[in-house]
Amino acid sequence: MELINTYTRAQALKDGQQFNTDSLVSGLANESGIPYPVYITLSVKHILDEALQYGNNDISGILWDIFSMFRHAVRRANFDETLSFHVTITWKHRHHKLFRFYAEFGAVDIDNPKTAITIMTKEDL
């Protein structure tokens, strides 16, 4: 099979389609018990950015909640499909909004086979 095109994680980072969570809050994924680099997609970043507009949120707290719920989902996962999990985030007027996220384990990039995690929304699947 001939390879027609590739879109690497490095390109996605450069294009602003993905973000390394360490660039948002250094070391938080590791501190929360996730031993791999964690990347989020632009759609997840939009959720974070919107949540930050409401006074009771900060980036560390929201990411901590996402990482915590991801870790709980991993414990019950069978890993034959994309992992899904829910996170409640404080939203407008201090109301809580439930978000469904998805996670996939894969390589850091095409030239780096080390394990990484990508957290995304349904529109990224």
Side-chain angles (χ1 to χ4, degrees), residues 70-97:
F70 164 78
R71 286 181 37 245
H72 289 296
V74 166
R75 290 187 192 121
R76 59 177 167 70
N78 58 14
F79 292 103
D80 62 351
E81 57 190 52
T82 301
L83 183 70
S84 72
F85 60 100
H86 292 91
V87 179
T88 301
I89 299 174
T90 303
W91 213 245
K92 298 176 185 176
H93 312 294
R94 296 187 184 208
H95 291 104
H96 296 93
K97 188 170 180 179

Side-chain angles (χ1 to χ4, degrees), residues 19 24 40-54 57 59 62 89 91:
F19 302 85
L24 303 173
I40 59 171
T41 61
L42 181 59
S43 61
V44 175
K45 180 75 164 63
H46 284 311
I47 292 169
L48 296 177
D49 290 343
E50 188 167 351
L52 291 173
Q53 294 177 24
Y54 311 118
N57 292 312
I59 190 79
I62 299 168
I89 299 174
W91 213 245

